[in-house]
Amino acid sequence: QCPHCSIPVQYMSTTCATIYSTRIYCPDHFPTLDTPMTIQSLQQVQLFASLTTADLYQISGKLTRVHFPAGALLFREGDPGQRFFIIMNGEVQVIKQLGGREHILQTLGQGDYFGEISLFLNEGHRTASVRSLTNVDMLAMSRVDFEPLLNQYPTLALKLMRQMANRLLVNQNAVIDDLLTTNHKLIDDYEALQRDYARLLEQTNST
């Protein structure tokens, strides 16, 4: 990953720039925003429905644009969480490794957001992987800007916490389903083994 903006190495810029002394990003990944277009896009996001246009202008100053091609791995489960993402166009899949298998938890599209769970925790790590299903355009906010945003707009914090609880429940249910599936398979395998043993014992006795 890029040491400055955490973008996977295949999408790295050759140079990185520091903006406002606290916001570090690669200019190839995060070009300058078209503010009026960004405001219009944010107004379509349910998360920001209760905010005024003035609020959205203020928030837009904390956002940078990022694009990924289809099939790109945005981050892996267990990676340090540094950014929160809002999808403007395209779709991504939220993926969790369960029992050595890839399990798709959700498909997210325009107006959806992700990456908030790890930012609620100090040095939080990603609870799932995210991969782009199509070409995807997003707005990204760094951890540095995310925390003050929640302090300034408590209604956003409440919405994010509700969504976070729902997503953790989805994760939990996925783990339970995987354990049940694995348990049923073990039971089936054990019963098949018992049948094979009984047949073998019967054949042995008959001889």
Side-chain angles (χ1 to χ4, degrees):
Q1 289 185 329
C2 171
H4 298 289
C5 73
S6 299
I7 293 299
V9 65
Q10 61 265 43
Y11 307 116
M12 277 178 62
S13 168
T14 54
T15 58
C16 293
T18 302
I19 302 298
Y20 303 134
S21 76
T22 59
R23 297 171 61 220
I24 301 175
Y25 69 99
C26 294
D28 285 354
H29 302 145
F30 303 105
T32 303
L33 291 176
D34 179 341
T35 300
M37 184 177 296
T38 301
I39 298 303
Q40 186 177 17
S41 297
L42 291 178
Q43 288 172 334
Q44 307 304 313
V45 178
Q46 182 60 33
L47 176 64
F48 301 118
S50 62
L51 301 185
T52 66
T53 301
D55 291 332
L56 295 178
Y57 266 99
Q58 185 172 358
I59 291 172
S60 69
K62 310 295 185 182
L63 295 168
T64 46
R65 184 181 296 121
V66 60
H67 171 83
F68 285 100
L73 186 65
L74 280 61
F75 52 76
R76 294 182 184 275
E77 182 177 351
D79 284 351
Q82 299 298 332
R83 292 187 178 272
F84 166 70
F85 296 93
I86 304 165
I87 302 174
M88 295 292 100
N89 291 291
E91 293 184 329
V92 302
Q93 290 179 324
V94 182
I95 304 159
K96 196 166 185 66
Q97 290 291 327
L98 297 170
R101 301 190 309 276
E102 189 176 273
H103 187 97
I104 298 174
L105 299 178
Q106 287 180 298
T107 298
L108 305 177
Q110 184 176 2
D112 291 328
Y113 50 89
F114 61 93
E116 76 283 358
I117 295 178
S118 58
L119 297 190
F120 269 92
L121 305 172
N122 291 331
E123 300 182 0
H125 291 77
R126 300 298 191 187
T127 59
S129 302
V130 173
R131 181 174 58 216
S132 55
L133 190 59
T134 65
N135 289 341
V136 61
D137 296 302
M138 298 179 291
L139 298 175
M141 179 179 290
S142 71
R143 176 186 289 273
V144 170
D145 291 322
F146 183 78
E147 294 178 0
L149 178 73
L150 300 187
N151 291 329
Q152 186 172 357
Y153 301 103
T155 56
L156 291 187
L158 181 59
K159 287 182 178 180
L160 285 167
M161 290 178 69
R162 285 174 176 166
Q163 180 69 356
M164 182 171 64
N166 289 334
R167 287 178 175 168
L168 290 174
L169 183 60
V170 168
N171 288 357
Q172 176 182 293
N173 289 339
V175 172
I176 292 173
D177 289 344
D178 184 74
L179 289 174
L180 288 174
T181 300
T182 301
N183 188 50
H184 289 155
K185 185 178 185 304
L186 288 173
I187 291 173
D188 290 342
D189 290 345
Y190 176 70
E191 290 177 345
L193 183 62
Q194 283 185 313
R195 290 192 296 270
D196 290 342
Y197 176 75
R199 283 194 296 268
L200 179 60
L201 187 61
E202 183 180 352
Q203 291 172 2
T204 301
N205 291 336
S206 64
T207 59

